[in-house]
Amino acid sequence: MSLFRKKTQLPEFDPTRVPRHIGIIMDGNGRWAKRRGLPRSAGHRAGIKVLEDIVEYADSIGVEMITAYAFSTENWKRSKEEVDALMALLLDYLKNFEKHLGGRNVRIRIIGERSALSEEMQAEMIRAEEGSAKNTGITVNMAINYGGRLEITKAVQQIAQRVKAGELEPEAITEDTLSDAMYLAGCPPLDFIIRPSGELRLSNFMLWDSAYAEFWFDNICWPDFRDQDLLRAVVAFQNRDRRFGNAQ
Ligand code: FPP
């Protein structure tokens, strides 16, 4: 049962057909800040607050898992000032996770390539994950230094090692072998991806797991995204005809 129990206001909403796992590309923070004459980091700070609100709301309507794109393997190309600001925000968030969603029964898992991150960040990731592991509400997978191509590359390397060690025959490699080597192994299928701010692309997000995800795009920037926007998106999801390649 959800902790948050917020009200839904759209009559078309069907509580029995909620996406189990939603991916969110939290885009538009920079533009939101620029329009207000603020530094880009102010947009990211506002974006964190929105993520918290949306996670609570998603939990209240029965979503089991959210995977949120916080920092991509390509985001290192941004100015040092912005990268430093994002890393500082992430570190601060993880350090205080119990005061944020961690204290409200939310479980956090970090996905992405950790070795390029500071030792302090890596230690805080483990601490936040372990500290929230027994929480029973919604799970948030925070994608930090995540790239879909890198994820697939790492999975292939792992499988190749098993072949080299004689544990696995190449012919025995199936789609499940790859799925099991991805970060989302064992998670509910990623069935819905939301990208606000008007861009119509995946930007290297969840390339393997998005194979049969439904997509939802909107022009509003992430810091302006509210509960009712999530609800509108979920209602749109409920009206999709998901055939998974089947003709009927
Ligand atoms: C995309 O907007 C956003 C990002 C690259 C970072 C998203 C990160 C956060 C919301 C903070 C995450 C941290 C925690 C702890 C949740 P953009 O900067 O590309 O915006 P623009 O397209 O308008 O320039």
Side-chain angles (χ1 to χ4, degrees), residues 26-32 40 44 47-48 51 69-70 75 78 82 86 89-90 93 142 222:
M26 303 182 285
D27 198 11
N29 299 339
R31 277 163 285 169
W32 180 91
R40 293 176 63 83
H44 298 315
I48 294 177
L51 179 65
Y69 209 4
N75 284 154
R78 296 190 174 198
E82 185 173 356
L86 266 167
L89 280 172
L90 285 164
Y93 191 79
M142 196 74 82
W222 175 246

Side-chain angles (χ1 to χ4, degrees), residues 29-30 32-34 36-45 81-82 85:
N29 299 339
W32 180 91
K34 193 172 171 202
R36 286 163 177 75
L38 298 169
R40 293 176 63 83
S41 56
H44 298 315
R45 198 168 296 115
E81 188 190 356
E82 185 173 356

Side-chain angles (χ1 to χ4, degrees), residues 53-218:
D53 291 346
I54 291 300
V55 165
E56 289 190 6
Y57 186 67
D59 182 87
S60 79
I61 62 171
V63 177
E64 295 167 46
M65 184 172 274
I66 284 188
T67 296
Y69 209 4
F71 192 89
S72 78
T73 46
E74 287 71 38
N75 284 154
W76 297 106
K77 295 177 198 154
R78 296 190 174 198
S79 72
K80 182 174 181 321
E81 188 190 356
E82 185 173 356
V83 170
D84 287 350
L86 266 167
M87 288 299 154
L89 280 172
L90 285 164
L91 184 63
D92 183 64
Y93 191 79
L94 292 172
K95 275 187 172 167
N96 294 294
F97 189 62
E98 292 71 30
K99 286 190 218 145
H100 296 279
L101 292 171
R104 283 174 270 167
N105 203 25
V106 174
R107 186 174 168 203
I108 191 168
R109 291 177 57 221
I110 316 294
I111 62 172
E113 184 51 37
R114 299 186 188 199
S115 59
L117 303 169
S118 72
E119 282 183 15
E120 189 184 15
M121 177 84 88
Q122 292 185 45
E124 289 301 332
M125 287 174 163
I126 295 171
R127 209 194 53 77
E129 286 179 328
E130 291 182 350
S132 68
K134 291 204 172 72
N135 288 350
T136 54
I138 191 168
T139 297
V140 176
N141 300 315
M142 196 74 82
I144 302 177
N145 198 26
Y146 172 86
R149 288 183 172 181
L150 183 62
E151 179 182 23
I152 294 170
T153 305
K154 292 268 169 192
V156 170
Q157 285 176 356
Q158 210 186 92
I159 293 164
Q161 287 295 346
R162 290 174 56 202
V163 172
K164 190 177 168 193
E167 295 165 19
L168 187 66
E169 292 297 326
E171 305 74 35
I173 297 171
T174 63
E175 291 190 9
D176 285 345
T177 319
L178 265 103
S179 291
D180 290 345
M182 298 289 163
Y183 294 120
L184 298 185
C187 291
L190 180 67
D191 32 26
F192 195 32
I193 293 178
I194 290 175
R195 181 169 194 160
S197 98
E199 310 293 356
L200 307 180
R201 55 178 171 263
L202 264 182
S203 300
N204 208 9
F205 183 63
M206 297 294 140
L207 298 186
W208 180 265
D209 291 280
S210 62
Y212 271 100
E214 296 293 327
F215 290 85
W216 193 80
F217 299 100
D218 194 275

